[in-house]
Amino acid sequence: MIEVSELDVGYGGVPAVKGASLSVRKGEIVALLGANGAGKSTLLRAIAGLVPKAHGVVRLADTDITESHAADIARLGLALVPESRHLFGPMTVIENLELGAFSWLGFRGSAQMRGDLDAIMALFPKLADRRSQVAATLSGGEQQMLAIGRALMARPAVILMDEPSIGLAPMIVREIFRVIVQLREMGRTILLVEQNARMALGIADRAYVLERGVVTLQGPAAELRSMERVRELYLGG
Ligand code: ATP
């Protein structure tokens, strides 16, 4: 579903991602691990069309999206859940979710999205209890659930998630990861950037390690879990 080949991305001529190649097959969870500043968010943002690519090719299913605009990439079925969530703070949970459907529904009215809303509420019952609350007053965990829910409202085939566990209590992290696994069972394809390597390798099918913008390790998640270098650097020895 995603094929990234020899991608270079930089900021003002300073490289952040260097010659990165990776792929995500339909129905897989693929984890992208790496230290702070390794270039993980940059790689996700480049796939989503939010930062320009200096070199390389990105394909989404059968389409070359290297030069495509972010809005067109979203319409092709790719959604990004950004690290900073970017919710609409003064708007309610339901309003944030409704906006997620805009890419396919436009201004055509909300009756058609009722089933989608029910499905999100079933995935995240906590959001159902808070449907009329404004996003800015939600807890960190609820905000993360809403950010994922809003991405799902776009009916994406592929979801890029940037550090969904960041700053959350272990119980909430487990809940978020439970949903990520459920999304795979529902046929979604997921590229997951995570600092919590233990959790990510626990649910991923395959994984890549990014070090200073370069993909240095890759393979089945179980294989990476047993690698000395991964254990030392990302799993706490
Ligand atoms: P973290 O886990 O801390 O979020 P990361 O692996 O996601 O890190 P990036 O955020 O992609 O890493 O950053 C990669 C490099 O690009 C870093 O050196 C960072 O300072 C730089 N960088 C990121 N965004 C910008 C920007 N908008 N302008 C200039 N440099 C940037």
Side-chain angles (χ1 to χ4, degrees), residues 6-30:
E6 298 180 2
L7 186 68
D8 292 341
V9 186
Y11 298 100
V14 180
V17 171
K18 296 176 253 181
S21 296
L22 65 81
S23 62
V24 188
R25 299 184 204 113
K26 187 169 167 40
E28 271 190 325
I29 297 174
V30 170

Side-chain angles (χ1 to χ4, degrees), residues 11 16 35-42 83 163 195:
Y11 298 100
N36 285 124
K40 306 178 299 294
S41 300
T42 300
E83 184 178 342
E163 310 253 14
Q195 291 263 339

Side-chain angles (χ1 to χ4, degrees), residues 65-156:
I65 57 165
T66 313
E67 304 292 337
S68 303
H69 291 291
D72 295 326
I73 294 172
R75 270 191 287 272
L76 285 169
L78 182 139
L80 170 70
V81 184
E83 184 178 342
S84 41
R85 299 171 195 148
H86 293 303
L87 296 170
F88 300 102
M91 300 176 83
T92 66
V93 165
I94 288 293
E95 287 166 344
N96 269 273
L97 290 173
E98 286 177 346
L99 279 168
F102 190 81
S103 60
W104 60 271
L105 192 60
F107 292 105
R108 275 180 285 143
S110 59
Q112 294 164 74
M113 69 169 91
R114 203 148 298 147
D116 297 61
L117 285 172
D118 289 346
I120 308 281
M121 298 304 176
L123 275 177
F124 294 116
K126 281 197 177 79
L127 286 185
D129 301 339
R130 312 225 160 237
R131 53 200 306 139
S132 305
Q133 189 171 326
V134 295
T137 61
L138 295 174
S139 72
E142 290 158 356
Q143 289 192 7
Q144 187 62 58
M145 291 171 196
L146 181 54
I148 295 171
R150 187 184 53 184
L152 291 172
M153 288 298 290
R155 298 183 170 178

